[in-house]
Amino acid sequence: MGRPSRRVEELERELGVWKQALKTADNDAKALKKKVSQLERNIGSLKDDNPLVVCLIDGDGNIFSSELVKLGQNGGHQAALLLNKGLTDHMNSLDSDEGFSSRGQIWLTVYCNKSGLLETLTSNNICTAEEFESFVTGFNQASPLFSLVDVGTGKERADEKIKECLRVFTRFPQTTKVFFGGAHDNGYISILNQLQNEGLLNKVVLLRGYRELAYELKNLDLPTLDIVGLFMTRKLQTVQTKKPSPPPTQVKLQDFDKFRVKPTIPLPSRPSPSSNAKVAQRIEKNLPLHKHRPPPCNFYYLADCKHGLKCRYGHNYILLPEHIDELRTNSRKWPCPYANRDNPCPFGESCCMGHACPKGQRCTFLKQGKCKFTGTSMHDGEVSRSRGPSSSLSPSSARGSPVVSEVGLPTVWDSYGVDA
């Protein structure tokens, strides 16, 4: 009898522990429920007491109408008034739950490349520079919450700011609607898809500029708002104005030399004059050219090396056609000093160095400001080379070249006054 009674006592104690745990859990659940209710009341208060309507406009695509811009400062005021009235009327037309109370605020920002937009407007005879500057001033003065922001030159600078603002402000509980003026650009589809996955796309309304929406944005089936007379309905022709050529810059040989492929193994700073007069060597199989000691000289095999016997790179290799192709490919991964300074390259298509970044618009170093290709159009996505004299040299025309097959080689540097 003693053992069963002890077992009953143990079970009773265990039951008491579980009852106490259940009571604690019930108390915690009630406290959490109370906090949730309080947060819901706070969110409701934010929506009711201080509702926010955000409007984000890509000013490089949604361009204000020529009639408004020509009016200068008065036109800027009128554009702001049209925007305010159009957004307010749209909000008042919605159901009561989404409607715009008298306490609501409209926070509106236009992002644009101001200098680029001005160039486009003036080249299309839309307005003068003075009228455009006055228009911007009038728009910025029209309301404390209305701003036209200059993001500066550079591709997708406005896009990046608008995408981040869409991501942040759409998540705010007090944000009732987000009017998005960028329906002309498929590049915004990624952030809109993200908002759709988060269940927030119902807050977004497309503010139309051009008549046609971007193809990928059409599939989202978003509501649109068209404010008559506010934006241009057709794209302007971008006129490429020819800038005056800068005075020729004397490019020295060391400018080319610093862009050569550097040897991976340290070499003597001053090799002996006879170092390039050795017996011809063959390339080691399965070893990249740039890992040979010393590496083959790009200029010796693709153009003309002015260092001669003093060159710290190899002149005595026997190169096959595939080696020449590898040299040419690697050489064009480094920028031509002429093109890098926005000067016409005298070697034209025959230049053995790069006139465009191999990564083009996908270059991650460009966004970090670290890309060696610094010329104006070196990241436009197409490999373009300034026209200039060109010729094709046979291997025998390069002094002492041991290349064993005929390949097209560029014009030598000497012909264009490159200093030693």
Side-chain angles (χ1 to χ4, degrees):
M1 293 295 292
R3 181 174 296 177
S5 62
R6 286 197 299 272
R7 180 59 179 161
V8 169
E9 290 176 0
E10 290 175 358
L11 291 173
E12 286 178 346
R13 283 197 299 272
E14 186 175 348
L15 178 61
V17 171
W18 283 109
K19 284 183 177 179
Q20 183 62 37
L22 179 61
K23 183 179 180 180
T24 303
D26 286 340
N27 291 336
D28 290 343
K30 290 177 182 178
L32 287 173
K33 187 175 181 180
K34 186 176 180 180
K35 287 183 179 180
V36 169
S37 298
Q38 181 64 40
L39 288 173
E40 288 177 345
R41 286 195 298 272
N42 291 342
I43 291 173
S45 177
L46 283 173
K47 291 181 177 178
D48 296 336
D49 296 340
N50 193 28
L52 178 64
V53 173
V54 177
C55 184
L56 303 168
I57 299 175
D58 185 339
D60 294 328
N62 280 31
I63 303 175
F64 290 102
S65 68
S66 57
E67 292 80 6
L68 291 173
V69 177
K70 285 179 180 177
L71 293 175
Q73 190 165 351
N74 288 333
H77 279 286
Q78 290 186 31
L81 290 174
L82 280 173
L83 271 168
N84 186 71
K85 184 177 186 305
L87 300 181
T88 304
D89 289 348
H90 181 84
M91 293 299 300
N92 290 333
S93 69
L94 301 176
D95 296 336
S96 57
D97 292 341
E98 294 181 300
F100 195 49
S101 72
S102 58
R103 295 184 299 275
Q105 300 180 85
I106 298 177
W107 183 82
L108 184 146
T109 307
V110 181
Y111 296 99
C112 69
N113 171 9
K114 191 175 172 184
S115 61
L117 180 58
L118 173 59
E119 183 177 357
T120 300
L121 292 173
T122 53
S123 62
N124 282 273
N125 297 319
I126 300 298
C127 65
T128 64
E130 292 76 13
E131 289 170 341
F132 178 73
E133 292 293 343
S134 297
F135 174 86
V136 173
T137 300
F139 185 87
N140 284 329
Q141 292 177 348
S143 169
L145 296 178
F146 282 29
S147 302
L148 194 152
V149 177
D150 179 18
V151 298
T153 58
K155 188 174 179 61
E156 297 183 355
R157 291 189 183 275
D159 302 34
E160 291 172 359
K161 288 185 177 292
I162 292 175
K163 287 176 183 177
E164 189 65 13
C165 288
L166 276 171
R167 186 187 67 81
V168 172
F169 286 101
T170 307
R171 292 173 176 172
F172 284 179
Q174 66 266 41
T175 300
T176 306
K177 284 292 176 186
V178 176
F179 291 90
F180 167 52
H184 61 284
D185 190 348
N186 282 316
Y188 291 109
I189 189 64
S190 58
I191 182 61
L192 293 175
N193 282 336
Q194 182 179 340
L195 295 177
Q196 186 178 42
N197 294 336
E198 296 177 13
L200 297 172
L201 199 59
N202 62 313
K203 290 186 177 184
V204 178
V205 177
L206 295 181
L207 182 59
R208 298 184 67 136
Y210 301 142
R211 291 190 183 94
E212 287 295 320
L213 299 179
Y215 177 76
E216 294 189 27
L217 270 61
K218 289 180 182 178
N219 299 328
L220 296 175
D221 199 25
L222 288 169
T224 61
L225 172 62
D226 188 357
I227 302 177
V228 179
L230 181 62
F231 297 118
M232 295 184 184
T233 57
R234 62 178 181 84
K235 292 185 179 181
L236 291 177
Q237 184 72 26
T238 302
V239 179
Q240 296 291 339
T241 56
K242 187 174 182 180
K243 298 180 180 180
S245 299
T249 305
Q250 187 70 17
V251 180
K252 299 185 179 298
L253 188 63
Q254 51 265 40
D255 291 331
F256 290 91
D257 191 58
K258 69 182 179 181
F259 288 119
R260 296 184 193 225
V261 179
K262 300 301 180 186
T264 55
I265 303 174
L267 299 174
S269 59
R270 284 188 174 273
S272 63
S274 61
S275 62
N276 277 327
K278 296 178 182 178
V279 177
Q281 294 178 251
R282 290 188 178 274
I283 295 296
E284 294 184 33
K285 191 176 181 180
N286 299 327
L287 182 65
L289 295 181
H290 67 276
K291 291 190 176 181
H292 283 71
R293 182 178 182 182
C297 176
N298 292 345
F299 291 99
Y300 181 76
Y301 292 105
L302 300 179
D304 186 47
C305 179
K306 294 191 66 176
H307 286 299
L309 296 177
K310 295 182 180 180
C311 183
R312 59 202 299 255
Y313 298 87
H315 290 189
N316 58 308
Y317 288 102
I318 298 177
L319 300 186
L320 299 175
E322 56 265 30
H323 300 142
I324 292 294
D325 290 340
E326 182 180 347
L327 271 184
R328 184 175 289 109
T329 299
N330 290 336
S331 180
R332 286 179 177 173
K333 293 178 182 178
W334 299 89
C336 167
Y338 288 104
N340 235 25
R341 298 175 183 175
D342 291 327
N343 290 332
C345 177
F347 310 108
E349 297 289 342
S350 298
C351 183
C352 68
M353 304 194 78
H355 287 203
C357 178
K359 296 291 185 181
Q361 297 176 359
R362 299 173 297 168
C363 179
T364 55
F365 292 103
L366 174 65
K367 296 179 181 179
Q368 300 170 8
K370 297 179 181 178
C371 185
K372 290 183 172 64
F373 289 83
T374 59
T376 303
S377 59
M378 283 183 154
H379 291 85
D380 287 351
E382 296 181 0
V383 179
S384 60
R385 294 180 177 275
S386 304
R387 292 292 178 187
S390 64
S391 64
S392 181
L393 302 179
S394 66
S396 60
S397 63
R399 292 189 299 271
S401 173
V403 182
V404 297
S405 70
E406 290 237 312
V407 290
L409 297 178
T411 307
V412 295
W413 306 116
D414 291 342
S415 303
Y416 296 96
V418 179
D419 293 341

